[in-house]
Amino acid sequence: MPIYDFVCNECDASRPVLVDYEAKEGLELICVHCGGVMRAAPVAMFTVIRSTKVEQSTNRKKIKSCGHAHHCRCAAIKQKAPIPFQKQIDEALGAGEHQ
């Protein structure tokens, strides 16, 4: 949720307020200094803060030999017989023949 500066129309006092974008449009505060009406000032500058943990988790995403990127048990399943429709699956996916 963004922090907006609310500025008094009478004495130009300001105070930061943490409020949702839609709620800020109709929100009017009372100035503690003069009792005037405070409205949200136009945004002049903003800063984007990124978490390094998010970047690391996306970079560490490894695709396993089964094709999954999440924890799965595909490696524990041993196929004893050939898959009956593997040729059609490979053709539909555009891959070569299953080996």
Side-chain angles (χ1 to χ4, degrees):
M1 202 175 312
I3 298 174
Y4 292 99
D5 282 330
F6 277 71
V7 180
C8 178
N9 292 341
E10 306 289 325
C11 68
D12 290 329
S14 67
R15 72 185 271 187
V17 178
L18 180 70
V19 66
D20 190 5
Y21 176 76
E22 288 86 19
K24 119 176 138 89
E25 293 299 322
L27 187 62
E28 292 182 347
L29 303 176
I30 297 173
C31 180
V32 294
H33 300 287
C34 70
V37 176
M38 296 182 88
R39 291 195 175 96
V43 177
M45 178 176 60
F46 64 93
T47 304
V48 177
I49 301 171
R50 295 187 304 177
S51 171
T52 56
K53 289 183 180 181
V54 173
E55 291 177 16
Q56 289 176 354
S57 66
T58 56
N59 292 339
R60 292 166 61 190
K61 191 179 229 184
K62 294 181 182 178
I63 298 178
K64 299 178 181 180
S65 60
C66 61
H68 292 129
H70 61 277
H71 179 70
C72 65
R73 299 194 63 194
C74 291
I77 300 171
K78 301 295 181 194
Q79 190 73 28
K80 294 180 181 178
I83 301 172
F85 301 106
Q86 187 64 49
K87 184 177 178 183
Q88 289 88 350
I89 293 170
D90 289 340
E91 289 172 1
L93 294 175
E97 281 200 29
H98 182 70
Q99 297 177 6

